[in-house]
Amino acid sequence: MAGGDDLKLLGMWASPFVLRVKLALSLKGLSYEYVEEDLRDKSELLVKSNPVHKKVPVLIHNGKPVSESLIILQCIDEAFAGTGPSLLPADPYERAIARFWAAYIDDKMLPALNQSAMGKTEEERAEGKQQSLVTVETLEGALRDCGKGKPFFGGDSAGYVDVVLGGLLGWVRASDELHGVKPFDPERTPLLAAWSERFGALEAVEPVMPDVSRLVEFGKMLKARLAAPPAAGASN
């Protein structure tokens, strides 16, 4: 992998947002130091590097921290423009379209998927499943239009939207076993189903993808924790 710059990634293995950054660094062929964070006991470095949100991911580039996965991806693409493939298109209009669909994934699709899995009531979960179907079908159309019949949102090679959506792929695969939800159904969304197989099999992607069985166990633990009654003396 390429080196020369000091890159350190603060992350947590199960975070889809951290995975986005790992995917971008891997596709670019960049070497970096990875630091696993315990989010229940955050390191001084994490708190100092992201004092506003105190969340992962944080990418520290030559001592300068950058937070928020979508911003980090754009920073990587610009800072290492001469290294590896470009994530964002050169054309301003196409760049704007890519940013639009990345925002759609975070603002529309992800909340619906979370509600379908973690809604407090059966009604909330059912509403989330319905909304997730709508958002995924919309994204199916985006893949058809953006990819123009090519394998990825970025065309012939994986780009910005592929990385943004690819960060969710581990949890998408785990959601069927965990919640009975299959977001990328081959019958309903054949393009996305085929895309997920192609993207997951890329040489730069496969090594950094989290183990699905491990995600399933982690998801079960989270679900149990959310279902547990509050401890005595706990406050809101």
Side-chain angles (χ1 to χ4, degrees), residues 2 12 16 22 24 33 39 42 49 77 81 90-91 106 114 128-129 131 139 144 153 169 189 226:
M12 186 270 180
K22 289 182 176 180
E33 177 188 354
L39 300 184
K42 298 173 184 178
S49 300
D77 206 33
D91 180 78
D106 275 6
N114 284 339
K129 286 180 181 180
Q131 286 300 315
L139 206 58
R144 182 181 58 247
F153 284 92
L169 197 50
T189 53
L226 288 171

Side-chain angles (χ1 to χ4, degrees), residues 9-25 32 34 39 50 55-59 66-73 76 102-107 109-111 113-114 163-171 208 210 215:
L9 174 61
L10 310 184
M12 186 270 180
W13 73 270
S15 166
F17 306 105
V18 172
L19 179 56
R20 289 173 176 174
V21 182
K22 289 182 176 180
L23 289 168
L25 292 168
Y32 62 98
Y34 177 69
L39 300 184
N50 187 2
K55 293 180 178 179
V56 294
V58 175
L59 184 69
V66 183
S67 305
E68 303 291 331
S69 64
L70 298 186
I71 295 171
I72 294 172
L73 297 187
I76 290 170
Y104 180 85
I105 290 166
D106 275 6
D107 296 343
M109 177 184 167
L110 190 52
L113 290 175
N114 284 339
V163 171
V164 171
L165 186 58
L168 307 180
L169 197 50
W171 281 109
V208 299
L215 285 176

Side-chain angles (χ1 to χ4, degrees), residues 115-116 119-129:
Q115 184 177 335
S116 71
K120 293 180 180 179
T121 65
E122 186 61 42
E123 289 77 12
E124 281 187 13
R125 291 190 292 274
E127 182 184 346
K129 286 180 181 180

Side-chain angles (χ1 to χ4, degrees), residues 72-151:
I72 294 172
L73 297 187
Q74 294 179 54
C75 180
I76 290 170
D77 206 33
E78 292 172 8
F80 300 95
T83 304
S86 294
L87 299 178
L88 280 159
D91 180 78
Y93 174 76
E94 291 182 359
R95 288 169 74 91
I97 294 300
R99 289 190 176 110
F100 173 87
W101 287 114
Y104 180 85
I105 290 166
D106 275 6
D107 296 343
K108 299 293 185 182
M109 177 184 167
L110 190 52
L113 290 175
N114 284 339
Q115 184 177 335
S116 71
M118 297 294 187
K120 293 180 180 179
T121 65
E122 186 61 42
E123 289 77 12
E124 281 187 13
R125 291 190 292 274
E127 182 184 346
K129 286 180 181 180
Q130 183 58 41
Q131 286 300 315
S132 66
L133 288 175
V134 172
T135 59
V136 170
E137 286 176 356
T138 300
L139 206 58
E140 174 92 348
L143 176 55
R144 182 181 58 247
D145 296 340
C146 294
K148 299 179 176 67
K150 294 181 178 179

